Amino acid sequence: VLDGVFNHASRGFWAFHHILENGGNSPYIDWFIVHDWPLRPYVHSATEPHNYAAWWDIPALPKFNINNPGVRDHLHEAARHWIEFGADGWRLDVPEEIDDIPFWQKFRDLVKGVNPDAYIVGEIWHEAVEWLQGDRFDAVMNYVFQRATLGFFGRQSLVMDYEPGGFGLQPLDVRQFAGAITHMLGVNDWAVTQAQLNLLDSHDTARTLWMVGGDESALRLCTLFQMTMPGAPCIYYGDEIGMTAGHEPDSRGAFPWQDEASWNQNLLAFYRRATALRHAYPSLRTGSFEALYADHDIYAFRRRLERDGKTESAVVIFNANQTETRVDLALHDPLTAAARFTDAWQGDEVAAENGLLTHLRIPGRDIRVLVHHTE
């Protein structure tokens, strides 16, 4: 999936460079928004700033004039070309800054015309219902998911004065967390919810381990939540070996390929196990979602998938408390009212009686994933 930066270019972009070389004689003069002449691509003094529109007023990033037909054709052709070349989709940088619905509608038509399964995801930091109506994007980077997840599982050590994307991190108790997740899952059509890019951090934020004050158990719980929830989980490179850093550019440090001794091997083994869990059970990937319990730092939900005459149910139970807890969990499900479940995470078995899992043990800062198959 390619990173499409269609809002702005660089000073080295060929069309901008042509203007630098040819001035007003360049046929690309209107590809950008130039205020006066001569063009000043570098800031020499406070009295001589750059004199063209630029992203966040950074001279190195001249902003495209998206209203210019040549610009539109060039960007749309790039969108089509790279999907034809074999890319699986586009991640679109700052798409809200191109406030032009027909531009994005044509973008989608071109991409999907080449590959209907191509993934189109936009970098939008808030709920984006209007962008997810089937005429523009398939999904957005789900920072709403990030903030809720960090707020609950990392609440005891959360870095409170950090605001990724301008949105503060707030500690959440289990009922606040449950409410946030219910709201998040209900905002969009279910097909969109299943496509949302569920991330914990990115090149534009501090790393998860830093945001939770170095609490590795919080990172592990957040990752398990990613792997058991509807949506497409996204791991930022290096989190799986314990890389940690504050806001970019620090969080963009290179992966330490030559220093394997610095890797947290236990954490890496955990990530492999967590991702294998999602791959092993289709219900965790595309099954329905039903909240079951939210109290005493315990959050539980059920994922269910019916396919080829068979039903797979997975009851996922999180314990955010430091200590082991026992709960009575009502299943509200006649299919599993008296079923035996295999715990895909803890490795044991439990049985339901009269629709209840009684005195169910959940280890501190850990989960259970109770799976049952029905013919």
Side-chain angles (χ1 to χ4, degrees), residues 14 16 22 40 86 126 170 190 201 215 223 252 259 299:
W14 59 270
F16 191 79
N22 297 281
R40 294 190 297 272
H126 53 82
Q170 299 294 328
W190 179 242
D201 52 4
D215 181 0
T223 302
R252 300 183 181 189
D259 185 20
Y299 182 68

Side-chain angles (χ1 to χ4, degrees), residues 22-329:
N22 297 281
N25 293 322
S26 171
Y28 306 109
I29 186 67
D30 290 327
W31 277 40
F32 302 90
I33 304 169
V34 179
H35 301 309
D36 57 65
W37 294 96
L39 198 62
R40 294 190 297 272
Y42 300 95
V43 177
H44 298 290
S45 69
T47 59
E48 289 190 332
H50 66 281
N51 55 351
Y52 49 88
W55 184 72
W56 278 36
D57 227 22
I58 300 172
L61 302 174
K63 183 176 173 63
F64 281 121
N65 176 14
I66 205 68
N67 293 319
N68 181 284
V71 170
R72 297 172 83 90
D73 288 345
H74 176 76
L75 297 179
H76 284 147
E77 174 61 18
R80 182 199 59 76
H81 169 82
W82 291 108
I83 299 300
E84 283 188 343
F85 190 80
D88 291 316
W90 287 100
R91 176 265 184 189
L92 298 164
D93 190 70
V94 296
E96 288 181 292
E97 298 199 21
I98 301 180
D99 187 14
D100 189 316
I101 294 174
F103 174 87
W104 292 118
Q105 289 172 329
K106 184 172 181 180
F107 178 95
R108 181 182 182 86
D109 288 343
L110 288 168
V111 168
K112 297 292 187 177
V114 175
N115 179 6
D117 293 328
Y119 185 50
I120 304 175
V121 56
E123 181 209 359
I124 298 180
W125 291 68
H126 53 82
E127 293 177 2
V129 176
E130 68 276 16
W131 292 83
L132 300 172
Q133 296 298 306
D135 64 338
R136 283 177 270 177
F137 301 162
D138 298 317
V140 297
M141 300 175 73
N142 199 356
Y143 286 106
V144 174
F145 173 92
Q146 175 212 44
R147 293 190 291 271
T149 304
L150 294 176
F152 178 54
F153 296 114
R155 72 179 187 274
Q156 295 178 345
S157 57
L158 204 60
V159 177
M160 297 289 294
D161 59 353
Y162 178 57
E163 297 184 349
F167 295 88
L169 299 175
Q170 299 294 328
L172 302 175
D173 64 32
V174 67
R175 293 185 181 181
Q176 291 171 323
F177 174 66
I181 296 303
T182 297
H183 176 78
M184 179 189 76
L185 296 178
V187 165
N188 296 299
D189 183 84
W190 179 242
V192 172
T193 296
Q194 290 184 300
Q196 291 282 65
L197 190 71
N198 292 344
L199 74 169
L200 299 174
D201 52 4
S202 73
H203 64 294
D204 286 323
T205 75
R207 287 189 173 270
T208 300
L209 197 55
W210 185 91
M211 289 187 282
V212 296
D215 181 0
E216 189 176 308
S217 72
L219 171 62
R220 290 179 180 233
L221 286 172
C222 288
T223 302
L224 285 168
F225 193 61
Q226 273 187 305
M227 297 303 156
T228 54
M229 281 290 289
C234 179
I235 300 171
Y236 185 41
Y237 75 90
D239 284 355
E240 72 278 13
I241 61 163
M243 288 181 68
T244 183
H247 195 66
E248 54 97 356
D250 295 344
S251 63
R252 300 183 181 189
F255 190 93
W257 292 108
Q258 304 303 317
D259 185 20
E260 192 168 339
S262 70
W263 298 8
N264 184 332
Q265 294 290 347
N266 288 333
L267 186 61
L268 178 58
F270 161 82
Y271 267 86
R272 286 172 171 160
R273 185 181 171 208
T275 55
L277 174 71
R278 185 176 181 89
H279 283 288
Y281 297 99
S283 60
L284 297 180
R285 301 195 301 273
T286 59
S288 62
F289 177 94
E290 179 187 0
L292 296 176
Y293 189 92
D295 205 358
H296 300 100
D297 280 340
I298 304 294
Y299 182 68
F301 55 87
R302 176 171 38 236
R303 305 291 307 277
R304 173 178 286 160
L305 181 65
E306 297 181 12
R307 189 171 62 182
D308 300 328
K310 301 178 182 179
T311 300
E312 179 180 278
S313 296
V315 177
V316 186
I317 310 153
F318 284 82
N319 182 3
N321 204 297
Q322 298 288 344
T323 59
E324 178 179 297
T325 302
R326 291 183 179 269
V327 297
D328 294 336
L329 184 63

